[in-house]
Amino acid sequence: MAKTLCYAYELSLRFSLPAHDHSYLLRLSPPSNEGQQVLEQRLRLSPPHEGWEIADAFGNRCLCGHIFQSHLQFQAVASGAVRTGLSDGVAEPDPMRWGMMKSPSPYTRPGPNLLALSRRLAAPCDCAPLERAWVLARAVHDVLTYCPRVTDTHTTAEEALTLGEGVCQDYAHILLALCRLENIPARYTAGMLVGEGASHAWVEVLSQGRWYGLDPTNLLPVREQHIVLAWGRDGGDCPLNRGSFLGGGDQTQTVRVSVHPVTAP
């Protein structure tokens, strides 16, 4: 059932010394497609300046900017409303174009533990890719324990599986690796989930010409509770914020995400 979700994504960087020549790229603009429709969108930047929008290699909407003057804090607040759960899947007009989503990527390249898990899960199956992907998602949910701060954005699927612990990015990377070992096209998706906290990540699988979302962390289909922001081969292709600057000393980054359904008056 479709829902209207209000969201707010607040990124704050604080510097111990003045920073300058600060370049950034943000993927905080939800796309409109078959599965979701953007109803409202606002972005506030501090220090105030003009940014510009580009599309990356995967078609994601990216806001770029450059702050020349010295500053002790950078803040980006994206907010708006999105109608979600409009369809179960999103059509891929050219499935051949996504052949790369069947190949290992930097964070999903399998090692001995992933290969062993894949062999253990192997079974004669002529089912559709989506049905098989759910079998793999349940296995990932069973072998990994959700535990913040034991991994980071550079942790690979093999490393997370070896630890047996991780966060949503790790669940997604392991599921991607297992899907690709079975020649199932799958892509990493970054976005937001209903509730308070941080951003979220899941997997989309190409089945019969349509992309379907699976959330292995929560073992949920991706429908009305999720807002898509960006996708790629793995988390390295679509970080929600990335930047560089001169000076700045020590930095502290804070991210706050809030997503709530619109309630009728």
Side-chain angles (χ1 to χ4, degrees):
M1 183 174 64
K3 287 184 180 180
T4 298
L5 303 180
C6 287
Y7 71 90
Y9 183 108
E10 181 178 333
L11 165 68
S12 179
L13 281 177
R14 295 181 182 273
F15 305 104
S16 61
L17 297 172
H20 60 95
D21 286 323
H22 183 171
S23 296
Y24 64 84
L25 185 149
L26 306 174
R27 294 179 176 88
L28 302 180
S29 301
S32 287
N33 53 36
E34 286 181 77
Q36 64 181 33
Q37 180 185 8
V38 178
L39 304 176
E40 299 176 31
Q41 183 178 302
R42 297 173 294 275
L43 183 64
R44 186 176 76 251
L45 299 170
S46 178
H49 63 283
E50 291 293 327
W52 61 93
E53 187 169 298
I54 63 169
D56 67 15
F58 300 97
N60 300 310
R61 298 174 62 192
C62 305
L63 181 78
C64 301
H66 191 97
I67 307 171
F68 292 96
Q69 73 267 31
S70 295
H71 53 287
L72 289 170
Q73 181 176 357
F74 170 69
Q75 187 178 56
V77 180
S79 59
V82 179
R83 188 72 172 160
T84 60
L86 300 180
S87 69
D88 284 342
V90 176
E92 171 52 63
D94 183 10
M96 296 299 293
R97 183 164 61 110
W98 292 95
M100 71 180 78
M101 299 302 180
K102 294 193 291 185
S103 303
S105 58
Y107 290 101
T108 65
R109 192 164 288 114
N113 289 324
L114 273 165
L115 292 171
L117 177 59
S118 180
R119 287 193 297 268
R120 194 159 70 245
L121 296 172
C125 182
D126 57 359
C127 54
L130 180 59
E131 184 180 349
R132 179 59 182 164
W134 273 114
V135 174
L136 301 177
R138 293 184 187 96
V140 174
H141 188 79
D142 289 342
V143 300
L144 208 63
T145 299
Y146 189 89
C147 188
R149 293 181 291 278
V150 298
T151 59
D152 59 31
T153 56
H154 301 294
T155 302
T156 66
E158 177 71 16
E159 290 168 342
L161 180 59
T162 301
L163 286 170
E165 298 175 326
V167 293
C168 58
Q169 177 174 283
D170 304 302
Y171 283 77
H173 282 158
I174 295 172
L175 179 55
L176 286 170
L178 293 175
C179 285
R180 292 169 182 170
L181 283 169
E182 298 198 13
N183 207 35
I184 299 173
R187 65 187 183 187
Y188 181 99
T189 308
M192 298 176 285
L193 178 66
V194 167
E196 304 276 343
S199 57
H200 195 46
W202 56 90
V203 169
E204 291 183 357
V205 168
L206 187 64
S207 182
Q208 299 180 342
R210 298 180 69 81
W211 291 103
Y212 295 91
L214 300 79
D215 182 344
T217 308
N218 299 296
L219 213 54
L220 289 172
V222 175
R223 289 181 183 147
E224 67 274 3
Q225 297 191 70
H226 299 72
I227 297 176
V228 173
L229 288 173
W231 49 71
R233 296 169 302 163
D234 58 34
D237 284 337
C238 51
L240 298 186
N241 62 82
R242 179 167 286 175
S244 63
F245 50 85
L246 297 178
D250 297 327
Q251 62 171 305
T252 302
Q253 176 176 293
T254 304
V255 173
R256 287 197 293 262
V257 178
S258 175
V259 179
H260 294 285
V262 174
T263 56

